[in-house]
Amino acid sequence: MASGNEGHGGGGNAGQGGGGNNEVTIHIDKTQYKSPNPTTGAALYLLGHVAAGYDLWREVHGKGDDEMIANNATHVALKNGDHFYTAQSSLNPGNGS
């Protein structure tokens, strides 16, 4: 007996907890990830495998500076398609002897 759902769903990685979380697609350093929304800064650092000594930034389109995401429990509201990138925490290119 066919249920009429063949070929739909699947996916294998059915999120944690299911149900109430809105899951969005984001990019961190040009790699696509799925994240619950809202999330926390700390969760984004883990998701994107951000190395020690690096900060995570959200690209802001139009006028304005990109937004630094703190590596803590602060809530971060995501939009589908958000792009993030990592950068060294302190850049001192001329600070050598």
Side-chain angles (χ1 to χ4, degrees), residues 40-84:
T40 65
L44 289 173
Y45 275 71
L46 286 173
L47 181 67
H49 309 286
V50 179
Y54 282 77
D55 292 323
L56 185 65
W57 295 82
R58 181 189 340 226
E59 290 182 12
V60 175
H61 298 287
K63 293 184 178 183
D65 293 333
D66 289 349
E67 174 190 2
M68 190 180 100
I69 305 297
N71 188 0
N72 60 26
T74 300
H75 282 84
V76 178
L78 300 173
K79 291 185 212 145
N80 210 26
D82 271 348
H83 285 259
F84 297 83

Side-chain angles (χ1 to χ4, degrees), residues 1-56:
M1 258 188 167
S3 67
N5 285 332
E6 292 85 8
H8 299 288
N13 278 343
Q16 303 157 337
N21 283 349
N22 290 328
E23 197 172 67
V24 295
T25 300
I26 62 170
H27 295 84
I28 301 174
D29 288 336
K30 299 182 181 178
T31 300
Q32 183 174 301
Y33 296 95
K34 295 266 187 194
S35 173
N37 183 36
T39 188
T40 65
L44 289 173
Y45 275 71
L46 286 173
L47 181 67
H49 309 286
V50 179
Y54 282 77
D55 292 323
L56 185 65

